[in-house]
């Protein structure tokens, strides 16, 4: 069980929650845990959320998309405040950093990459890693300025609904991928909604010839 230290909106529908960190609590960048709320009727309602703070931090952070229309854990989080408690469960996650490459995220699927990239930044090992981030609108982009400061020109946004100067528009397709992945030998990290992941993986397989270098996490 951990106590919430701070909770705030970072976009119109994304919360950033910081909690205390239990002693000897360990996880790898990109991993997640199931969380429930320590309130009557909610303790057994577990949902998976990714750690978005590097493991060496003395606090835990979660970046969570909320769905106010759903009567679920994410909606209940809107009622919480500093001092309330969350219950942490098993740690899991398939995505792990295997070397420099291209990260491709859709919406809240960026959360494991937040932790990985923050961790690399803390070690001065960001190198030439690139993040391609797909969202519906500019307002949906999580940590827009932070990623810009971190990655510079290696932060590429594509918006499906908005047409905004400086942002690419449309869906991630083969032409888009070819224009932004110059080195086909690099690792490809993929996380997003199932339909997006399936489409992008199919296109990447066409480009790469196989999917051995695609490291993915179901979202």
């Amino acid at each position: 069980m951990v106590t919430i230290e701070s909770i705030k909106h970072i976009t119109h529908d994304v919360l950033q929650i910081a909690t205390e960190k239990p002693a000897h609590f360990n996880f790898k960048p990109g991993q997640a845990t199931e969380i429930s709320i320590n309130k009557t009727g909610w303790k057994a309602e577990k949902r998976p959320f990714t750690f978005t703070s590097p493991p060496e931090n003395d606090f835990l952070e979660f970046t969570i998309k909320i769905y106010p229309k759903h009567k679920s854990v994410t909606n209940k989080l809107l009622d919480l405040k500093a001092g309330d408690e969350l219950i942490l469960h098993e740690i899991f996650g398939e995505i792990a950093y295997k070397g420099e490459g291209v990260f491709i995220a859709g919406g809240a699927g960026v959360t494991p990459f937040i932790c990985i990239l923050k961790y690399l930044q803390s070690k001065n090992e960001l190198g030439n890693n690139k993040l391609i981030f797909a969202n519906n609108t500019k307002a949906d982009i999580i940590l827009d300025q932070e990623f810009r400061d971190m990655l510079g020109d290696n932060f590429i946004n594509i918006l499906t609904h908005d047409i905004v100067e400086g942002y690419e528009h449309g869906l991630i397709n083969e032409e888009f991928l070819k224009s932004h992945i110059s080195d086909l030998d690099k690792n490809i990290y993929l996380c997003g909604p199932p339909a997006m992941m399936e489409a992008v993986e199919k296109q990447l397989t066409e480009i790469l010839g196989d999917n051995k270098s695609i490291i993915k996490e179901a979202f």
Side-chain angles (χ1 to χ4, degrees), residues 182-218:
S182 56
D183 186 349
L184 299 182
D185 291 327
K186 285 196 171 184
N187 294 299
I188 306 293
Y189 302 88
L190 177 62
C191 188
M196 173 257 186
M197 287 183 63
E198 183 178 352
V200 172
E201 186 173 6
K202 182 178 180 181
Q203 292 155 1
L204 286 169
T205 302
E206 289 291 326
I207 297 168
L208 300 171
D210 59 52
N211 62 1
K212 291 181 180 177
S213 62
I214 302 173
I215 302 148
K216 59 185 178 178
E217 182 74 90

Side-chain angles (χ1 to χ4, degrees), residues 2-13:
V2 293
T3 301
I4 294 174
E5 296 179 343
S6 66
I7 181 167
K8 63 182 180 180
H9 277 270
I10 58 170
T11 77
H12 63 102
D13 63 355

Side-chain angles (χ1 to χ4, degrees), residues 1-216:
M1 198 177 306
V2 293
T3 301
I4 294 174
E5 296 179 343
S6 66
I7 181 167
K8 63 182 180 180
H9 277 270
I10 58 170
T11 77
H12 63 102
D13 63 355
V14 174
L15 288 177
Q16 189 177 77
I17 300 175
T19 76
E20 62 182 350
K21 184 179 181 182
H24 311 298
F25 188 86
N26 296 307
F27 62 92
K28 296 177 182 177
Q31 286 192 308
T33 183
E34 286 194 311
I35 288 177
S36 55
I37 299 168
N38 189 30
K39 288 185 180 292
T40 302
W42 292 95
K43 295 178 183 180
E45 294 290 328
K46 298 184 289 185
R47 296 293 186 276
F49 298 121
T50 308
F51 300 102
T52 53
S53 51
E56 68 269 21
N57 282 18
D58 59 2
F59 63 91
L60 300 177
E61 179 190 270
F62 302 92
T63 304
I64 300 170
K65 185 170 182 178
I66 57 172
Y67 302 88
K69 293 182 180 180
H70 298 179
K71 302 303 180 185
S72 65
V73 170
T74 55
N75 186 48
K76 185 64 178 175
L77 292 173
L78 291 169
D79 297 334
L80 301 185
K81 59 186 183 303
D84 286 331
E85 294 175 331
L86 302 176
I87 303 169
L88 306 183
H89 299 273
E90 182 181 355
I91 295 172
F92 63 93
E94 296 301 322
I95 279 189
Y97 187 64
K98 300 181 185 297
E100 200 169 276
V102 179
F103 294 80
I104 303 173
V110 78
T111 52
F113 303 155
I114 293 173
C115 188
I116 291 170
L117 293 170
K118 282 183 177 179
Y119 175 75
L120 293 174
Q121 183 183 41
S122 73
K123 302 294 184 185
N124 293 315
E125 295 176 1
L126 273 174
N128 200 37
N129 280 295
K130 180 180 291 187
L131 172 60
I132 294 171
F133 197 7
N135 285 281
N136 288 330
T137 71
K138 186 176 184 295
D140 294 320
I141 301 172
I142 298 169
L143 299 182
D144 189 0
Q145 191 58 53
E146 187 166 342
F147 281 132
R148 289 182 185 281
D149 293 343
M150 189 186 301
L151 299 170
D153 291 340
N154 279 339
F155 179 40
I156 298 153
N157 288 281
I158 182 166
L159 307 175
T160 55
H161 295 169
D162 280 359
I163 298 176
V164 181
E165 185 177 354
Y167 295 76
E168 301 218 28
H169 173 70
L171 297 174
I172 294 177
N173 56 28
E174 190 171 334
E175 181 182 0
F176 174 88
L177 290 168
K178 285 180 177 177
S179 69
H180 292 292
I181 302 176
S182 56
D183 186 349
L184 299 182
D185 291 327
K186 285 196 171 184
N187 294 299
I188 306 293
Y189 302 88
L190 177 62
C191 188
M196 173 257 186
M197 287 183 63
E198 183 178 352
V200 172
E201 186 173 6
K202 182 178 180 181
Q203 292 155 1
L204 286 169
T205 302
E206 289 291 326
I207 297 168
L208 300 171
D210 59 52
N211 62 1
K212 291 181 180 177
S213 62
I214 302 173
I215 302 148
K216 59 185 178 178

